[in-house]
Amino acid sequence: MSMVGLILKDLMTIQRQIKTQAFLLIFFLFMSFIVQQGSMLFSLVIILVTFQAITAITYDEQSGWDKYANTLPISKGDIVLSKYILSILLMIMGLIFALPIVWIILRFTPNNLAPEEFFLTFNLIVTLAICILAILLPIYIKFGSIKGKMVLIAICFIPGFLFGLINKQSSDMFFVLTNIKQFMFLAPIAGLLILWLSSLISTAIYKQKEF
């Protein structure tokens, strides 16, 4: 089985989950037009599609796929790398789906984000999704889906914590963001570098596991 075969296997595994979440996306698409907030839809799409790699790992664990895969002429590194490539492909697919819709919302609704502000938001959301994925994938591979879900729940509280912190330090944060704004186009590149380092860690963890 090649890398393409591994990715196709994962896509077939998660297709039912994607179809289920499509109803959620339709609902938030409707809500985005109502409240005139394209960034809300964009955030949801990126998070949902990118994290389907986590769903693929969970299904593999429940079905005992790893035990079978390790009897095949496939390297453990390729098995791990396929999950990372899957997440990037899904993110690209999410961007292709979401960006035209978000552009329409920004174009035809008043009091929305300016193009420069949306570019900043775009970079932050994509980078945040990549970084969270870089943290979760090694944890899921090391500890499994149950403990991984506990970490995921804990991570869900981070945005609220950061929002409270930013509110308390609003003037200082505004000064910092103003200074780094010109470098924000580099944020996704930094996120991909972190994801690459994460893949090296995940590969090392997976090679030490016994099935």
Side-chain angles (χ1 to χ4, degrees), residues 111-181:
N111 301 323
N112 220 310
L113 290 176
E116 183 180 356
E117 293 174 334
F118 176 74
F119 178 73
L120 177 63
T121 304
F122 169 87
N123 282 340
L124 287 175
I125 293 173
V126 170
T127 305
L128 180 62
I130 292 175
C131 290
I132 293 177
L133 194 66
I135 295 172
L136 287 179
L137 283 173
I139 292 174
Y140 267 72
I141 291 173
K142 173 68 175 179
F143 299 107
S145 59
I146 296 178
K147 292 182 179 179
K149 287 179 181 178
M150 296 174 63
V151 176
L152 180 60
I153 292 173
I155 288 178
C156 288
F157 288 98
I158 292 178
F161 172 78
L162 291 177
F163 182 76
L165 183 64
I166 290 173
N167 275 346
K168 292 181 180 179
Q169 306 292 336
S170 57
S171 58
D172 295 335
M173 288 300 298
F174 178 78
F175 177 75
V176 171
L177 289 175
T178 301
N179 288 332
I180 67 172
K181 199 173 185 178

Side-chain angles (χ1 to χ4, degrees), residues 2 23 32 35 42 46 51 54 62 67 83 89 120 174 177 179 183-184 190 204:
S2 64
F23 293 101
S32 296
V35 301
F42 182 75
I46 295 303
F51 282 35
I54 299 296
Q62 293 174 349
K67 293 181 180 179
K83 297 298 187 289
L89 289 176
L120 177 63
F174 178 78
L177 289 175
N179 288 332
F183 302 106
M184 280 308 299

